[in-house]
Amino acid sequence: MTEYQHLAAEHRSVADLPDEDRIQWIRAERWISHPVAELALETMSDLLTYPQRNRMPCLLIHGRTGMGKTMILKKFHRDHPRIVDCRIGLTQTPVVLMQLPPEPVEVPFYEELLGAMGLPLVGEVSRTRARRMAREALKIIGARMLVIDEIHSLLVGGDRQQRVFLNVIRLLANDLEMPLVCAGTPEARRALLADNGLADRFESVELPRWTNGLAFRRLLASFAAILPLRKPSDLDHEQVRSSILKLSDGVTVRIVRLLERLAVDAIRRGSECIEASSLDALPERVPLLSMERRRPGFAS
């Protein structure tokens, strides 16, 4: 009988590695699929194939900080890498991923956009020239989608500044006839809805906090199948699920960090599995967890 039947076949060999190698493997960033993330990726893929038209449809992925918005954008960006066209000697970049600058100001926005394409601005340039350079560069590289992370940064400015910047985004989409994908907090959604010219072209996908349902059980099952522990964990036990949710407040990044911490502790203690007693043994200062919600009985 094959060892480590509780693990996915492609991860069983990792369980045989030395402890420190397994710990480093656990701490490495990796993609974990779940239904809402797959919905966002499918919607983005559909937009990428959209024929050019005057008013291109767009997408907003929104949720509170730590729900995995940036991971989804990076996953989509990785899945659509640059393509070298040997016939014309150019590199085509179907998806451009950028982050909104800390302040919604036009020149820094174009500077960030050009940097995302590998064409950083040198020296000071006017707003008009920066805009023209960015638009021309997007056309030259064959961009078919612009993805903007941290769109909620536009809320830093006053109402007038927000309206001006939203107009910049709208005109960019109109001129280039390409879909925009934005990701941000729920506040960013309200800002986009306030602009009538944008609200009617944005679909939205929300990343809600996790609750103790089937989707959460599937998420934990995914982790149980990849964490290189040598014994099966009790991640589907009701007490374990409830405790993880209480400690993490249902926030994806906190759940991931908590499971990483529990898996590392299981290796170092020699228990080789995560169970209810693993949560009781958590130290006082566990990063990124909601300390206000820690139930009696946890170490504190």
Side-chain angles (χ1 to χ4, degrees):
M1 183 177 68
T2 305
E3 287 188 281
Y4 313 134
Q5 291 289 324
H6 59 289
L7 298 177
E10 62 270 26
H11 297 299
R12 289 170 187 166
S13 61
V14 183
D16 279 326
L17 295 176
D19 290 356
E20 288 305 314
D21 289 345
R22 286 191 291 155
I23 289 172
Q24 290 305 308
W25 190 94
I26 289 169
R27 289 172 171 170
E29 186 175 82
R30 59 183 42 83
W31 171 255
I32 300 294
S33 180
H34 58 85
V36 180
E38 291 301 328
L39 172 61
L41 291 171
E42 289 171 10
T43 305
M44 293 169 74
S45 295
D46 186 54
L47 288 177
L48 192 60
T49 63
Y50 227 87
Q52 285 188 314
R53 52 190 287 184
N54 184 43
R55 293 172 64 83
M56 295 295 290
C58 302
L59 174 67
L60 173 67
I61 302 172
H62 64 97
R64 63 155 289 162
T65 299
M67 290 309 302
K69 301 180 292 296
T70 299
M71 287 287 289
I72 292 172
L73 301 187
K74 288 183 176 180
K75 164 69 172 171
F76 188 79
H77 191 242
R78 286 196 305 271
D79 289 347
H80 298 85
R82 296 176 177 178
I83 304 168
V84 178
D85 191 331
C86 298
R87 296 172 305 165
I88 58 177
L90 289 177
T91 300
Q92 301 291 293
T93 307
V95 177
V96 176
L97 171 61
M98 65 170 291
Q99 182 173 299
L100 201 67
E103 282 192 82
V105 181
E106 197 168 352
V107 172
F109 169 75
Y110 290 122
E111 184 176 13
E112 190 74 27
L113 175 53
L114 285 163
M117 293 185 279
L119 302 167
L121 278 175
V122 178
E124 293 187 10
V125 298
S126 67
R127 180 179 59 183
T128 302
R129 185 162 186 268
R131 182 192 304 131
R132 184 174 65 250
M133 290 173 64
R135 293 175 180 178
E136 289 176 353
L138 285 166
K139 292 177 182 178
I140 290 171
I141 67 172
R144 304 203 313 272
M145 175 181 287
L146 176 58
V147 182
I148 307 174
D149 198 9
E150 305 289 338
I151 194 67
H152 48 266
S153 293
L154 65 88
L155 300 171
V156 173
D159 290 344
R160 182 181 178 281
Q161 192 174 3
Q162 289 178 30
R163 288 194 299 271
V164 169
F165 195 76
L166 288 171
N167 191 52
V168 168
I169 295 175
R170 182 174 61 252
L171 292 176
L172 187 64
N174 289 343
D175 288 351
L176 298 169
E177 294 185 341
M178 69 168 60
L180 299 181
V181 174
C182 299
T185 62
E187 290 75 20
R189 178 178 178 272
R190 289 193 286 272
L192 288 174
L193 287 175
D195 187 300
N196 294 331
L198 288 172
D200 61 355
R201 68 175 74 180
F202 268 89
E203 296 181 54
S204 70
V205 172
E206 181 183 7
L207 297 173
R209 297 191 194 206
W210 293 93
T211 59
N212 200 350
L214 181 59
F216 184 56
R217 294 179 69 181
R218 288 176 176 171
L219 179 72
L220 294 182
S222 297
F223 275 99
I226 69 168
L227 291 174
L229 299 176
R230 293 167 181 166
K231 297 179 183 178
S233 294
D234 291 332
L235 293 183
D236 197 40
H237 190 283
E238 174 63 32
Q239 181 183 349
V240 174
R241 294 200 313 271
S242 298
S243 297
I244 290 173
L245 281 175
K246 287 178 181 178
L247 278 172
S248 65
D249 217 14
V251 177
T252 304
V253 69
R254 294 179 180 180
I255 293 169
V256 173
R257 294 289 178 84
L258 175 57
L259 290 172
E260 289 175 357
R261 178 61 178 266
L262 292 170
V264 169
D265 286 352
I267 291 173
R268 288 178 171 165
R269 293 198 320 270
S271 66
E272 291 292 341
C273 67
I274 299 172
E275 50 197 353
S277 60
S278 306
L279 290 149
D280 294 330
L282 283 173
E284 179 177 354
R285 296 184 65 187
V286 181
L288 296 176
L289 301 187
S290 176
M291 307 311 291
E292 297 84 2
R293 294 175 178 264
R294 296 189 68 168
R295 66 173 175 79
F298 287 168
S300 60

